[in-house]
Amino acid sequence: MPPKKRNSGAAQNKEMKPSIKNASPDKENPDLSIEKHQEKDADFMTLCQTLQVTDEVCDRAWTIWKAVQASVDKVLDTQKRLWAACLFVAVIDLEVASFTFTQILKAVDLNVKQFLGLLKKMDVNLDTISTKVNSAVTRLEKKYDVSRALYQRFEKTCSTIYAEDSEAKGKEILRSCWTMFLLAKGRALQMEDDLVISFHLMVCVLEFFIRRCPPSLLQPHYQSVISTAQSPPTRTSRRNQSKAKPRQAPPEVDVQLLESLCKENDCSVEEVKSVYQTSFSAFLDSMSLSGTRDLPQATDLSKQYEELYFKSRDFDSRLFLDNDETLLTPKVELMPVERTPRKNLPEDVVLIPPQTPVRAAMNSIAQLRVDLITSGDQPSANLAVYFKNCTVDPTEEVLQRVESLGLLFSQRFGQAVGPRCVGLGKQRFTLGIRLYYRVMESMLKSEEKRLSVQNFSKLLNDSTFHTSLLACALEVVMATYGGSTFKSAGYSSGGVPVETDLCFPWILDVFQLTAFDFYKVIESFIKAEPSLNKDMVKHLERCEHLIMETIAWREDSPLFELLKRTREEGPVEQAEPPATLNQPLQHNHTAADLYLSPVRPSSRTLPAPESTAPPSSQPSALATHQTPRHPKSNSLSLFYKKLYRLAYMRLKMLYTQLLTSHPELEPIMWTLFQHTLQNEYELMRDRHLDQLMMSAMYAICKVKNVDLRFKTIVTAYKNMPNTNQETFKHVLIREGQYDSIIVFYNLVFMQKLKTNILQYASPRPPTLSPIPHIPRSPYKFPNSPLRVPGSNNVYISPMKSPTRMSPVMTPRTRILVSIGESFGTSDKFQKINAMVNSSDRSLKRSLDMSSAPKPLKRLRFDVEGQDEADESKPAEDSRLIQKLAEIGSTRTRMQEQKMKDDAESEKDKP
């Protein structure tokens, strides 16, 4: 069939035209030759002409389209939109500058989120979307989220600055101000997706425009601030009046105005000044705007921004000003049950709207600064005493290490963010130093209380301990500024992670610190610093998980040497005996134990190890006739305990999505998975824990004749939390060679474990490993709701002590008693709420629970097997817990009785 007639003379979008003109100068962009593509669809070729792509891009996109078409069961969207996605993938893979992201969005009438969602749906096979495209999409999405949050804040802030009646002139100033900010951000910052520094730069731009704006366009508050700042302190003499210039240059920065803006936006004046004096001042010099009172021309700013826009080839952020559909996101309407009825609100309750990303970041930073306001950037008097009590005083070495690491940190910070941001790096390092000394003192006090000693010479002279503790403190600071994010794990062609942000594990790379050494300090750090909020505790816990999943298994990790030497000691020195897996994860190890425990077991017989660990943590002899055992590595033992539990949790999560109809396979899969981690740990070198997990699952399904394809496993895996596509697309096969998880399974995993896998098909399979005991997070959150025993739907939460940054509680946040179905009358719930919130507990006696069973003698919460109703808890709280448990128990008995009655009534029917 001959191809359809093509509309080669279609009108081109005006905004598309600069794409050829502004294409990369070092790469030729030849015109699209229609004659070479006669076999392709006419509409596809029209889209290629509209976007002005090359022949190479056209061919690559058509190949991708054919692969997608053959893989999907049904068309996910219109063909034109799928073609556009294929063209986008081809351009990224081939590194050809053909069109911008905004241009392709307009060509197919999609917004950013819709287009990125379509790309994810297209990724049905392991090779449809490359790792390069994944990295580009992740960067693009993050930049869009940050830009959108900044514009929302810009719009809100400007509404408090400029008068409402200044329509035409005001809109022109807003457009110039936003465009100048985009230009400054693109030129001054290498990391345009850094929310905090970008917002500080925005405050600088606002200060620049307010000072030059006509007072009639400003709100009264800012009019008064400017008039106060501009009023001359003394009168100029007549003699000097003739020498005065007609238009004097304004001061470099209006400190009073800047402070007012910082106060309105809850940001640090010190940090904004630093951004102004370094990055923004240099930008003004480059624009020749430092010594003028005039506002820059909007057309000039727009023209200069266009150069950045066509160079980056992403979205045009100026379109935020026009509410352009390509940058909008669909508004999500709250369900009726999620709305708080206004008519029932007390008069003294103020509803707090959800925090915007900028407001949340500013509040977190402000809270961190408040927490560290009493801490110094030098060792405290108490720390100095601990240092002097050491056999070898570590004071001088500690101070020298801090100084050298401070210079290194600031230098690397400037390289990542921008060469003029070294000062910002110093400010964040200072906060980290304060937290470092504070946590160190808290740790030493705890150790002194635990061991009744004051000489910690060995620990305090351990360079790795100090570097790890400082790195952990800095990670808390960096996560506070960066929103607790992690690297997207983008890869270059050689398989080396591309460093594009300051997220974990950036700090490990800066200090050349191994992940295995860093993990040793995390738990003790959390326990020693009670001011850490829940989000930060979760962030550090996620850092620990990342270390166990992949970072600790890098090629140069000391973990492999330790495992090798441990194996040489014999089977009695297993990293973690499988028999202990079903026991709760309880230990008394501190950072001191882990850093001082032997890293290399000695070949000679030793007495009890020189460790601060209690006797209960030492290994017991298996038989009386055996040679005395060598010192056990506490750090390795605890690492494997946590690793096994994390591994099983991941396997259980994936298994629940795929194989609930085959419950007999779960323990078999876990046995193979656990065997691999313990005996074939070399398979983890430069790989990811989940890669072995998926391979073990597929292997057992194969040998047990259960139909489960790798494609199905990968699809379910993508729905799990804390995953990225690099895990199954970018797997090490052999040195320098990477491929998909399927290739890894066939060429590496199956070849290494073939004999072991086949044993599970024999009449006498291997002994199954015990299922690990999965406790709650070892890092307890003091304000987290706890489940009442006997019910899955009843929770209690302790009263929260208000802090300076705590918002006013709403009725929804006041009531933390959750029951799945309606039970009892409303007055009972009112009494419960009043009882929980009341300082006196007299209301408890008014609860009439005549049908309740006999109170439980002991109440156990599912928290590491510990009894919460012990002597350490107030009796009043225990009785309250009992009452709530009785509610759940009564409800359960009523449901059981109803089911029994229904069954009997069914039997009575003829």
Side-chain angles (χ1 to χ4, degrees):
M1 179 180 294
K4 299 177 183 178
K5 186 177 180 180
R6 300 184 176 92
N7 183 15
S8 58
Q12 302 291 322
N13 189 325
K14 264 187 175 182
E15 205 231 349
M16 310 278 182
K17 290 182 179 179
S19 60
I20 293 294
K21 179 181 176 180
N22 292 278
S24 179
D26 58 342
K27 291 187 179 181
E28 186 180 0
N29 188 12
D31 295 333
L32 187 66
S33 176
I34 303 299
E35 290 74 17
K36 294 182 180 179
H37 308 283
Q38 295 292 328
E39 79 286 357
K40 298 181 178 64
D41 190 284
D43 293 333
F44 173 77
M45 293 307 302
T46 300
L47 180 62
C48 290
Q49 285 181 297
T50 302
L51 295 173
Q52 301 181 356
V53 302
T54 63
D55 289 326
E56 185 182 17
V57 171
C58 180
D59 287 333
R60 181 65 173 268
W62 188 254
T63 302
I64 296 171
W65 159 245
K66 286 297 184 182
V68 171
Q69 195 177 31
S71 301
V72 297
D73 299 327
K74 60 180 181 179
V75 178
L76 303 173
D77 208 318
T78 63
Q79 281 193 349
K80 184 177 181 180
R81 290 175 174 177
L82 285 170
W83 289 335
C86 293
L87 286 167
F88 176 82
V89 171
V91 164
I92 299 298
D93 278 334
L94 297 173
E95 299 182 1
V96 176
S98 296
F99 49 79
T100 68
F101 190 48
T102 293
Q103 288 171 355
I104 199 169
L105 293 178
K106 287 185 174 296
V108 293
D109 194 25
L110 287 176
N111 62 43
V112 173
K113 292 296 184 180
Q114 290 170 337
F115 190 85
L116 297 181
L118 181 61
L119 282 172
K120 293 175 183 177
K121 289 179 182 179
M122 272 180 50
D123 194 15
V124 290
N125 284 334
L126 301 186
D127 55 354
T128 306
I129 305 294
S130 67
T131 55
K132 186 188 296 183
V133 176
N134 281 334
S135 299
V137 167
T138 302
R139 181 198 64 82
L140 196 61
E141 188 170 22
K142 185 177 179 182
K143 183 177 179 180
Y144 167 75
D145 291 337
V146 170
S147 298
R148 183 169 176 267
L150 288 170
Y151 180 73
Q152 290 174 342
R153 191 66 190 174
F154 172 81
E155 201 173 29
K156 184 177 180 180
T157 304
C158 286
S159 66
T160 65
I161 295 174
Y162 298 101
E164 297 180 0
D165 54 353
S166 57
E167 283 293 328
K169 186 66 175 176
K171 285 183 177 181
E172 182 183 348
I173 290 178
L174 290 183
R175 183 171 294 274
S176 298
C177 185
W178 175 249
T179 306
M180 182 171 173
F181 162 66
L182 295 175
L183 188 59
K185 182 163 69 79
R187 289 186 177 179
L189 303 181
Q190 292 174 193
M191 289 172 49
E192 292 188 61
D193 54 6
D194 189 301
L195 179 66
V196 174
I197 299 180
S198 297
F199 180 64
H200 290 165
L201 192 60
M202 180 191 292
V203 173
C204 297
V205 175
L206 288 170
E207 186 273 345
F208 176 87
F209 269 79
I210 292 173
R211 276 197 294 143
R212 290 160 175 78
C213 182
S216 60
L217 300 180
L218 299 176
Q219 296 277 13
H221 170 68
Y222 286 95
Q223 288 182 6
S224 60
V225 172
I226 290 179
S227 61
T228 303
Q230 293 181 349
S231 57
T234 55
R235 188 175 179 180
T236 307
S237 63
R238 291 185 178 181
R239 179 179 300 176
N240 293 330
Q241 281 181 1
S242 59
K243 298 180 181 180
K245 295 181 180 180
R247 304 191 91 184
Q248 294 182 356
E252 184 180 355
V253 58
D254 186 335
V255 177
Q256 186 176 350
L257 175 57
L258 202 64
E259 289 176 350
S260 179
L261 284 169
C262 292
K263 183 178 180 181
E264 290 290 329
N265 292 281
D266 293 328
C267 50
S268 167
V269 178
E270 179 187 0
E271 292 180 350
V272 174
K273 283 182 181 178
S274 179
V275 172
Y276 199 112
Q277 294 167 359
T278 56
S279 302
F280 189 60
S281 293
F283 167 74
L284 292 178
D285 290 340
S286 68
M287 298 281 291
S288 302
L289 293 174
S290 297
T292 177
R293 286 183 176 272
D294 300 326
L295 287 171
Q297 293 293 325
T299 53
D300 293 341
L301 293 174
S302 187
K303 184 177 180 180
Q304 293 187 59
Y305 173 74
E306 278 186 3
E307 295 178 4
L308 282 178
Y309 162 55
F310 286 115
K311 183 178 179 180
S312 66
R313 321 292 311 174
D314 52 29
F315 54 89
D316 186 350
S317 297
R318 294 171 299 180
L319 299 179
F320 280 113
L321 293 162
D322 304 322
N323 290 323
D324 192 88
E325 292 183 356
T326 60
L327 299 182
L328 296 180
T329 54
K331 295 182 179 180
V332 179
E333 292 292 335
L334 293 177
M335 297 296 290
V337 294
E338 295 177 326
R339 294 197 181 105
T340 303
R342 292 179 178 274
K343 61 182 180 181
N344 295 334
L345 294 181
E347 294 182 359
D348 60 337
V349 173
V350 179
L351 283 178
I352 304 297
Q355 285 192 334
T356 63
V358 174
R359 176 69 68 182
M362 295 301 108
N363 285 349
S364 298
I365 295 169
Q367 186 62 59
L368 176 66
R369 288 179 166 274
V370 168
D371 293 337
L372 297 177
I373 197 169
T374 58
S375 303
D377 52 7
Q378 295 292 324
S380 66
N382 290 335
L383 264 184
V385 172
Y386 281 118
F387 290 168
K388 290 179 181 178
N389 287 337
C390 293
T391 306
V392 178
D393 191 337
T395 304
E396 184 176 352
E397 187 177 348
V398 167
L399 295 177
Q400 288 178 352
R401 184 184 301 106
V402 165
E403 183 179 2
S404 61
L405 291 180
L407 293 175
L408 177 62
F409 178 88
S410 301
Q411 179 185 3
R412 290 290 296 274
F413 185 91
Q415 291 174 1
V417 181
R420 298 186 180 276
C421 296
V422 174
L424 292 177
K426 291 179 180 179
Q427 291 177 351
R428 296 190 188 182
F429 186 80
T430 300
L431 291 175
I433 285 298
R434 292 176 180 175
L435 186 58
Y436 159 71
Y437 285 135
R438 171 170 161 159
V439 173
M440 189 196 307
E441 182 178 339
S442 177
M443 282 183 177
L444 294 176
K445 286 180 179 178
S446 177
E447 289 294 289
E448 180 182 5
K449 183 178 180 181
R450 183 171 73 103
L451 304 172
S452 300
V453 297
Q454 294 181 335
N455 186 345
F456 299 103
S457 183
K458 191 172 182 180
L459 177 67
L460 293 178
N461 282 280
D462 189 310
S463 176
T464 305
F465 163 73
H466 284 286
T467 306
S468 301
L469 184 60
L470 177 56
C472 196
L474 286 169
E475 178 58 31
V476 169
V477 173
M478 300 301 286
T480 302
Y481 278 84
S484 302
T485 54
F486 299 90
K487 283 191 177 180
S488 59
Y491 287 88
S492 64
S493 57
V496 181
V498 178
E499 211 171 79
T500 56
D501 50 40
L502 304 175
C503 303
F504 187 80
W506 179 80
I507 190 65
L508 302 187
D509 298 331
V510 172
F511 287 170
Q512 294 295 299
L513 183 65
T514 67
F516 184 70
D517 287 325
F518 181 77
Y519 117 88
K520 301 175 186 178
V521 82
I522 294 176
E523 187 170 340
S524 293
F525 189 99
I526 292 173
K527 293 176 178 178
E529 183 50 48
S531 70
L532 294 178
N533 59 38
K534 184 176 180 178
D535 290 335
M536 194 52 59
V537 172
K538 285 186 175 181
H539 174 81
L540 291 178
E541 187 175 15
R542 180 61 192 144
C543 290
E544 186 179 69
H545 287 179
L546 280 173
I547 289 172
M548 292 187 287
E549 289 170 5
T550 181
I551 307 175
W553 303 98
R554 288 178 176 174
E555 174 66 32
D556 57 348
S557 173
L559 179 59
F560 291 102
E561 178 68 17
L562 186 55
L563 282 168
K564 180 181 177 182
R565 292 182 175 272
T566 302
R567 170 176 281 187
E568 291 172 355
E569 292 295 319
V572 296
E573 275 290 336
Q574 292 178 353
E576 171 62 14
T580 64
L581 288 177
N582 54 2
Q583 300 174 6
L585 179 58
Q586 295 178 337
H587 69 92
N588 295 319
H589 299 313
T590 63
D593 301 330
L594 303 184
Y595 283 100
L596 300 182
S597 69
V599 175
R600 297 184 176 183
S602 173
S603 58
R604 60 187 178 87
T605 302
L606 293 175
E610 185 182 352
S611 170
T612 56
S616 60
S617 67
Q618 303 302 328
S620 58
L622 296 180
T624 55
H625 64 275
Q626 289 180 340
T627 305
R629 294 171 63 177
H630 302 309
K632 180 178 179 180
S633 173
N634 292 327
S635 57
L636 180 61
S637 176
L638 182 59
F639 180 86
Y640 255 80
K641 284 180 179 179
K642 292 185 174 184
L643 174 67
Y644 283 155
R645 284 157 176 81
L646 175 64
Y648 176 71
M649 272 198 309
R650 305 287 290 171
L651 177 66
K652 178 73 172 178
M653 197 178 302
L654 186 60
Y655 173 87
T656 303
Q657 294 188 55
L658 297 171
L659 294 165
T660 51
S661 59
H662 297 276
E664 73 281 358
L665 296 183
E666 180 189 351
I668 302 175
M669 291 174 179
W670 166 242
T671 301
L672 176 60
F673 192 15
Q674 187 269 330
H675 167 83
T676 308
L677 291 174
Q678 179 170 317
N679 299 292
E680 304 294 344
Y681 53 82
E682 279 291 333
L683 287 175
M684 281 293 297
R685 192 182 292 271
D686 281 336
R687 295 191 179 97
H688 195 287
L689 180 70
D690 291 347
Q691 293 164 357
L692 271 62
M693 173 189 69
M694 289 185 278
S695 297
M697 175 174 284
Y698 184 78
I700 296 302
C701 287
K702 269 287 189 183
V703 81
K704 291 296 184 179
N705 296 318
V706 175
D707 185 20
L708 182 66
R709 301 172 60 189
F710 240 123
K711 179 179 176 180
T712 307
I713 294 176
V714 166
T715 301
Y717 176 76
K718 288 192 289 187
N719 295 326
M720 290 174 57
N722 302 320
T723 62
N724 68 70
Q725 299 186 30
E726 316 298 336
T727 305
F728 55 82
K729 290 184 176 182
H730 195 86
V731 190
L732 176 67
I733 308 301
R734 55 182 62 92
E735 186 176 358
Q737 180 185 351
Y738 294 81
D739 214 310
S740 70
I741 184 71
I742 297 176
V743 178
F744 165 74
Y745 173 82
N746 289 327
L747 298 184
V748 182
F749 187 87
M750 187 185 68
Q751 302 300 326
K752 187 74 173 178
L753 293 163
K754 183 186 298 182
T755 303
N756 186 270
I757 293 171
L758 291 175
Q759 289 178 0
Y760 294 98
S762 66
R764 301 180 63 182
T767 304
L768 298 179
S769 297
I771 300 297
H773 176 87
I774 305 299
R776 284 177 43 145
S777 167
Y779 312 118
K780 299 177 183 178
F781 310 124
N783 293 324
S784 298
L786 300 176
R787 181 175 60 84
V788 174
S791 173
N792 292 328
N793 300 333
V794 181
Y795 293 81
I796 64 168
S797 177
M799 292 288 290
K800 297 181 181 179
S801 56
T803 60
R804 188 187 73 87
M805 303 300 295
S806 298
V808 179
M809 297 184 73
T810 66
R812 291 184 63 194
T813 57
R814 290 180 185 274
I815 303 173
L816 288 176
V817 178
S818 175
I819 298 180
E821 297 177 2
S822 297
F823 180 77
T825 58
S826 60
D827 62 320
K828 288 185 179 179
F829 293 110
Q830 293 173 0
K831 290 178 180 179
I832 291 175
N833 295 332
M835 176 177 57
V836 171
N837 292 309
S838 177
S839 58
D840 60 345
R841 306 292 176 149
S842 60
L843 284 172
K844 288 186 295 182
R845 300 169 184 168
S846 64
L847 287 174
D848 183 14
M849 299 292 180
S850 58
S851 62
K854 185 178 180 180
L856 301 176
K857 292 182 179 180
R858 302 187 74 187
L859 295 178
R860 291 190 177 275
F861 279 74
D862 190 20
V863 184
E864 301 182 10
Q866 295 180 358
D867 186 8
E868 287 290 306
D870 56 13
E871 296 179 358
S872 64
K873 297 288 183 181
E876 293 175 343
D877 290 347
S878 298
R879 288 196 293 271
L880 170 60
I881 294 171
Q882 290 177 356
K883 290 295 185 183
L884 293 174
E886 291 161 11
I887 295 175
S889 177
T890 302
R891 172 173 171 261
T892 303
R893 292 196 301 109
M894 291 175 64
Q895 290 176 339
E896 291 175 352
Q897 184 63 38
K898 185 177 183 301
M899 292 174 63
K900 189 181 298 183
D901 293 343
D902 292 342
E904 291 178 356
S905 62
E906 288 292 332
K907 291 180 181 179
D908 295 340
K909 290 182 180 179

